[in-house]
Amino acid sequence: MSKRRENETGVSEFLLLGITDDPQQQQILFWAFLCMYLVTVAGNTLIFLAISSDPRLHTPMYFFLANLSFVDVCFTTNLIPRLLASHVAGTGTISYAHCLTQMYFLISFANVDTFLLAAMALDRFVAICYPLQYHTIITQKLCVGLAAIVWLCSGLISLVHTLLMSRLSFCSSAPEISHFYCDAYLLMKLACSDTRVNQRVFLGAVVLFVAPCILIVVSYVRITVAVFQIPSAKGRHKAFSTCSSHLSVVILFYGTVLGIYIRPPDSFSTQDTVATIMYTVVTPMLNPFIYSLRNQDMKKTVTRLLNRGSKSS
């Protein structure tokens, strides 16, 4: 089966060029990525456990946050261990099947991220603009349904991209990808066969990716208008403080993603590899700090969880 796939596509493996050719810089980056990955897994797992263990945090906002923490762990695990392993092995080659698998999960988890951020913005919009109807609108059934749709649709969208990518053929037996993971943009550029269908679908995916961003912007415009109608300064500050953590994550995530991918594929440069580290590695690592440090309820629960763990040990 693998031999037949190799004959159809003209390639059995890809060569990931990584971030730098300098051995000294590679060594520094190895330890940096390892530390960031461990912090990401530990921080997001702690957030997930804190929300699961504290009944006071069993609210729609924290339900979506638990999903976000879980997908951030999955997102980085799809990329970083492979990067670290290639450094230890001293080679950047990745098999054809592994490359498509990595691309599938990358697109899927990225879509889950965007949809969850939009769902969290919708939750804040209803909480601030329609506080009296909040519990009748944002129900547990709605949250579970939204989360299920997000995960299912993200998987299906990614599957379409992966199946279309598997139809492409490549001229070289081991094409070089100027990145540290299998990026759909760069794979299309390396293909020898017609990529027009792939590009149209990719354009549709970009529109679908931007749609949650538009929903977030509209939600926060309405939230801002509603907050400024609150007569007391204390009330305005309290309302804004409930959104600050989410807004920080949105700006950090979309600021880097939109700057890189909302462009024609031909304009993608190797310098963008460094920028992608922000949303693939740094953002998932910072999310637990943003939500725990800027949220008193979360901070108390995390502290209690850590104290309980230190006592038991």
Side-chain angles (χ1 to χ4, degrees):
M1 181 67 182
S2 61
K3 201 71 178 176
R4 185 172 66 185
R5 171 50 59 191
E6 177 182 339
N7 292 335
E8 290 173 0
T9 62
V11 61
S12 59
E13 62 183 16
F14 295 94
L15 179 62
L16 298 173
L17 298 182
I19 301 171
T20 177
D21 295 327
D22 190 315
Q24 191 172 8
Q25 290 182 356
Q26 286 179 350
Q27 191 70 17
I28 295 171
L29 286 171
F30 171 82
W31 291 108
F33 275 108
L34 177 60
C35 292
M36 286 190 289
Y37 176 66
L38 293 176
V39 171
T40 299
V41 172
N44 282 287
T45 302
L46 189 61
I47 293 292
F48 186 85
L49 292 175
I51 294 172
S52 302
S53 63
D54 192 344
R56 294 176 302 174
L57 299 181
H58 293 174
T59 63
M61 185 65 177
Y62 291 114
F63 171 77
F64 291 126
L65 178 56
N67 276 265
L68 187 66
S69 295
F70 177 72
V71 76
D72 280 345
V73 172
C74 296
F75 192 81
T76 52
T77 301
N78 181 47
L79 301 176
I80 306 306
R82 173 66 185 74
L83 176 64
L84 299 176
S86 66
H87 175 80
V88 173
T91 176
T93 58
I94 182 172
S95 69
Y96 175 84
H98 191 169
C99 185
L100 288 189
T101 302
Q102 187 185 67
M103 188 193 74
Y104 169 82
F105 284 112
L106 177 69
I107 296 173
S108 180
F109 293 145
N111 278 311
V112 171
D113 247 326
T114 59
F115 292 140
L116 284 176
L117 289 174
M120 294 168 80
L122 185 63
D123 173 80
R124 291 299 84 201
F125 162 70
V126 177
I128 293 174
C129 297
Y130 302 98
L132 298 179
Q133 293 85 21
Y134 176 76
H135 291 291
T136 57
I137 298 174
I138 309 296
T139 62
Q140 183 181 5
K141 185 177 180 181
L142 176 66
C143 293
V144 173
L146 278 176
I149 292 171
V150 163
W151 283 94
L152 180 61
C153 289
S154 298
L156 291 175
I157 292 167
S158 183
L159 182 62
V160 171
H161 284 289
T162 306
L163 291 176
L164 286 174
M165 196 65 69
S166 68
R167 296 172 60 252
L168 300 181
S169 59
F170 300 86
C171 301
S172 172
S173 59
E176 296 182 349
I177 302 175
S178 302
H179 224 316
F180 63 92
Y181 62 82
C182 290
D183 183 86
Y185 259 172
L186 300 182
L187 284 173
M188 281 193 292
K189 288 178 67 177
L190 292 171
C192 294
S193 53
D194 190 357
T195 61
R196 283 178 295 181
V197 175
N198 296 69
Q199 289 179 12
R200 291 192 188 103
V201 172
F202 203 92
L203 180 61
V206 169
V207 173
L208 195 61
F209 190 84
V210 174
C213 183
I214 295 174
L215 177 61
I216 292 169
V217 171
V218 171
S219 297
Y220 273 104
V221 169
R222 293 288 304 275
I223 287 171
T224 303
V225 172
V227 168
F228 278 113
Q229 291 176 349
I230 298 174
S232 67
K234 186 178 180 180
R236 290 193 295 269
H237 175 74
K238 184 179 179 180
F240 270 129
S241 65
T242 62
C243 305
S244 59
S245 298
H246 176 255
L247 192 57
S248 300
V249 172
V250 168
I251 293 171
L252 190 61
F253 180 80
Y254 272 103
T256 51
V257 174
L258 295 179
I260 295 169
Y261 286 105
I262 309 303
R263 295 182 299 174
D266 292 338
S267 68
F268 195 93
S269 64
T270 54
Q271 286 77 14
D272 291 324
T273 303
V274 179
T276 58
I277 296 173
M278 283 299 296
Y279 79 89
T280 58
V281 184
V282 177
T283 301
M285 181 187 69
L286 292 180
N287 283 355
F289 294 99
I290 293 173
Y291 278 103
S292 60
L293 294 177
R294 298 177 68 91
N295 187 300
Q296 292 301 318
D297 291 335
M298 180 61 71
K299 187 188 295 186
K300 291 176 183 177
T301 305
V302 169
T303 303
R304 192 182 305 115
L305 199 63
L306 289 173
N307 290 337
R308 189 189 308 167
S310 62
K311 288 178 182 178
S312 62
S313 61

